[in-house]
Amino acid sequence: MEQKSDSVEPSKAVDVNMAAVSSHISDPGRASSSHDDSKSTHSAKVDTGGNVADLQQAVARGLQPPDIIARLTPEERIALEKRLVRKIDWRLLPMIIVMYILNYIDRNNIAAAKLSGLPEDLHLEGNQFQTAVSILFVGYLLMQVPSNLFLNKIGVPGLYLPVCMAIWGVISAATAAVTNYSGLLAVRFFLGFVEAVYFPGCLYYLSCWYTRKELGLRTALLYSGALISGAFSGLIAAGVNANLTGARGLGAWQWLFIIEGVITVGVALIAIPILPNFPRTTKWLSEEEKALAIWRLEEDVGEDDWVSEEQSMWYGAKLAFTDSKTYVLLFLLIGIVSSGGVTNFLPAVVKTLGYNSVETLLLTSPPYVLCVITSSLNAWHADRTGERFWHIALSLCVALIGFIIAAATTATGPRYFAIIIMVPGIYGAFVVALAWISNTMPRPPAKRAAALSFINAVSNATSIYVSYLYQDYMAPRYVIAFSVNSGTALLAIASALVLRIMLVKLNKKLDRGEFVEGAVNARPGHENGFRFKV
């Protein structure tokens, strides 16, 4: 459990007024005394592209910066924050992205295993393969909310996430020992149960390190792990198929699970000493960096995540479940995730182009490579502009065009073009929508943790029925599947529009100084700088 540190705690001071802060900032005895008082007072108002928050707005919301931060000039604050964010990026992002690549590979390698002899070796019949795919999401659904609430309670994500990763790596490798349908079902269920910890846990983890304006791009970079895994999974499977079939008496699909499972365990062990927990207890930050890391989150959402009296797991869940925005966000994610179910069967869809197994696996890579680029650019621009709705809606329109083309023709060129654009269209919207959840429910952290896990869990439950839309007899056009995908994409667009309308109304109430539940409300008589992102 994270301990409070008085030396860096940005204490709340509801009695502080503007004059007190201005006087504090212009204190001639501050560390940087080479600047005059007028410049120092100006530091409370400088806004350099959203990188430096207005201290007077923070005071208006009942907050007071710690001395170590209040003494900084605008230039010092900008330089320190850039250095801090860069340090956090390099320490967190590479490792959690690699971990998510393996999370997604271990979850979806069964699609590649299908082309490597798994159904034949296990004597699967009828829709048994589809059931084996979908059973993972039953375990995935059951574990996400309890896991995130537990993570919020114990406060050690730097240990919790890697340990769970090692466990799912062992389970994934054990799939190679399965000899029948029942064993495959059991392994897939428990794999989903443990893997459920990672993605919602990571979303919550990022929201405890980054401000709302930074989350979109970092969420996109995290999710790029899933997209990169799609590219690598096809390449790895093609290599295993070509070189390890029958090696030491094992089938290609068995080597696939063994190799990827062992790599997962190894990376998990490496991650334990690398990943930090939260800013308050991170040893590789200086005292000044630690204070700023805590303070900038408090500026952004109105409270320090780990100086909250509302850390009860069930209290946070109650707040999330009684907020109507949770359910609008849920339908938004249900629409996107259901449409994205095509990626679980992308090798089967690409196989309808008429190529052999190795060529098919290689052709699954380009859509994911393009997707990494477009989703990152879409999320970067969404963060840059602070806009959410159009970045989601327009991206889904691209996916919708892909679904329609794929259902309408079996010609190789147009069909592969449809596959190329549908994957970036889906996930370009998905990464922005994930950041929108944290943007819309910034506080308290227990509520944010519950909302992230609940929405992600229930939306992934759509993968249970999606699995049955891609049965072999439905090939090559998969008309029902692509028709359902088109409908769920439209559902997501409609949900995004409803949420935008709701948030615009709430922002207007904040403009009028009215109290808004779940927002960062101003103190009476002061202007509030917080607005929901729309």
Side-chain angles (χ1 to χ4, degrees):
M1 186 69 182
E2 305 295 324
Q3 300 297 318
K4 298 179 178 60
S5 172
D6 294 337
S7 62
V8 295
E9 179 177 335
S11 59
K12 297 186 174 71
V14 295
D15 297 328
V16 175
N17 56 37
M18 299 292 187
V21 169
S22 296
S23 172
H24 179 71
I25 293 171
S26 60
D27 179 5
R30 67 186 183 277
S32 300
S33 58
S34 60
H35 299 272
D36 62 31
D37 288 352
S38 63
K39 290 182 181 178
S40 300
T41 303
H42 181 60
S43 71
K45 300 180 181 179
V46 167
D47 181 5
T48 57
N51 289 324
V52 179
D54 189 325
L55 292 182
Q56 291 188 359
Q57 284 188 359
V59 171
R61 286 148 50 190
L63 307 174
Q64 182 182 9
D67 291 350
I68 198 170
I69 299 303
R71 291 174 178 173
L72 296 175
T73 65
E75 294 79 9
E76 291 168 340
R77 165 74 189 260
I78 293 168
L80 178 61
E81 187 155 11
K82 285 183 177 178
R83 186 168 68 248
L84 171 67
V85 173
R86 186 164 55 246
K87 183 180 287 190
I88 295 170
D89 282 344
W90 280 108
R91 188 73 180 225
L92 264 68
L93 293 180
M95 181 52 69
I96 65 172
I97 290 171
V98 170
M99 292 170 72
Y100 195 46
I101 288 173
L102 293 168
N103 177 277
Y104 222 75
I105 284 178
D106 291 338
R107 184 193 319 172
N108 291 334
N109 53 12
I110 192 171
K114 182 182 181 182
L115 300 182
S116 302
L118 180 144
E120 292 78 13
D121 288 354
L122 299 187
H123 309 293
L124 302 184
E125 301 174 350
N127 59 12
Q128 288 182 335
F129 178 80
Q130 282 71 27
T131 302
V133 172
S134 64
I135 195 69
L136 177 140
F137 296 98
V138 176
Y140 201 76
L141 171 64
L142 293 174
M143 188 60 179
Q144 287 199 32
V145 175
S147 173
N148 248 27
L149 292 174
F150 180 66
L151 174 57
N152 175 70
K153 190 69 176 177
I154 63 173
V156 286
L159 178 63
Y160 181 66
L161 297 177
V163 167
C164 290
M165 181 184 185
I167 295 171
W168 89 60
V170 171
I171 295 173
S172 180
T175 309
V178 167
T179 58
N180 54 47
Y181 173 60
S182 299
L184 181 62
L185 285 183
V187 168
R188 292 285 296 173
F189 173 80
F190 286 109
L191 180 64
F193 195 78
V194 181
E195 281 207 353
V197 167
Y198 190 73
F199 188 57
C202 245
L203 292 179
Y204 173 63
Y205 186 31
L206 288 177
S207 72
C208 294
W209 279 93
Y210 293 102
T211 63
R212 292 179 303 142
K213 68 177 180 290
E214 297 165 346
L215 267 180
L217 178 59
R218 273 71 185 184
T219 301
L221 292 174
L222 169 64
Y223 203 76
S224 70
L227 307 176
I228 293 169
S229 78
F232 276 113
S233 181
L235 296 175
I236 294 171
V240 170
N241 251 21
N243 298 291
L244 290 178
T245 300
R248 296 186 178 275
L250 299 177
W253 65 271
Q254 291 172 300
W255 280 113
L256 192 64
F257 286 114
I258 292 171
I259 291 170
E260 292 172 352
V262 169
I263 293 173
T264 296
V265 174
V267 171
L269 297 177
I270 294 171
I272 292 175
I274 293 177
L275 291 181
N277 290 314
F278 295 109
R280 184 171 296 282
T281 57
T282 297
K283 295 180 180 179
W284 44 263
L285 292 178
S286 67
E287 288 301 305
E288 191 176 48
E289 290 170 336
K290 192 180 296 185
L292 179 58
I294 297 167
W295 168 247
R296 69 196 205 100
L297 294 177
E298 188 171 357
E299 279 180 318
D300 190 47
V301 301
E303 65 182 8
D304 174 6
D305 273 359
W306 287 92
V307 186
S308 172
E309 296 176 358
E310 299 174 350
Q311 288 297 310
S312 164
M313 295 190 296
W314 304 117
Y315 180 73
K318 178 183 176 183
L319 290 177
F321 296 150
T322 55
D323 189 334
S324 59
K325 296 190 294 296
T326 299
Y327 300 99
V328 180
L329 284 162
L330 174 61
F331 280 107
L332 169 62
L333 265 293
I334 282 176
I336 296 175
V337 174
S338 180
S339 298
V342 65
T343 59
N344 293 332
F345 295 90
L346 198 63
V349 175
V350 175
K351 191 176 182 180
T352 63
L353 299 177
Y355 297 98
N356 64 40
S357 294
V358 173
E359 291 170 335
T360 294
L361 290 168
L362 292 174
L363 285 172
T364 61
S365 297
Y368 289 106
V369 173
L370 177 63
C371 193
V372 171
I373 298 169
T374 56
S375 61
S376 296
L377 288 174
N378 194 44
W380 172 82
H381 193 261
D383 276 357
R384 183 86 171 179
T385 60
E387 202 281 332
R388 296 291 183 260
F389 169 73
W390 288 111
H391 287 83
I392 292 172
L394 293 179
S395 189
L396 286 172
C397 286
V398 173
L400 189 59
I401 293 170
F403 295 143
I404 293 171
I405 295 173
T409 181
T410 57
T412 301
R415 193 169 180 80
Y416 192 60
F417 171 75
I419 294 169
I420 286 282
I421 66 171
M422 70 174 66
V423 177
I426 294 164
Y427 290 111
F430 186 58
V431 294
V432 177
L434 289 174
W436 210 6
I437 299 174
S438 293
N439 295 160
T440 303
M441 299 184 175
R443 58 179 294 188
K447 177 184 178 181
R448 186 172 69 244
L452 282 167
S453 55
F454 170 69
I455 292 169
N456 196 57
V458 177
S459 63
N460 271 282
T462 61
S463 298
I464 296 174
Y465 76 78
V466 166
S467 300
Y468 297 96
L469 300 178
Y470 295 90
Q471 298 189 57
D472 292 342
Y473 76 88
M474 298 178 176
R477 291 176 63 188
Y478 294 108
V479 174
I480 295 176
F482 289 125
S483 298
V484 171
N485 291 348
S486 298
T488 52
L490 291 172
L491 170 65
I493 293 171
S495 301
L497 179 60
V498 170
L499 182 61
R500 186 180 192 278
I501 293 170
M502 291 173 66
L503 296 181
V504 167
K505 289 182 178 179
L506 293 177
N507 283 342
K508 288 180 178 178
K509 291 181 70 175
L510 289 170
D511 290 339
R512 295 192 298 267
E514 299 177 23
F515 179 81
V516 174
E517 184 68 36
V520 184
N521 293 276
R523 294 170 58 212
H526 295 292
E527 182 182 352
N528 184 3
F530 175 89
R531 295 296 181 273
F532 291 104
K533 294 188 181 295
V534 297

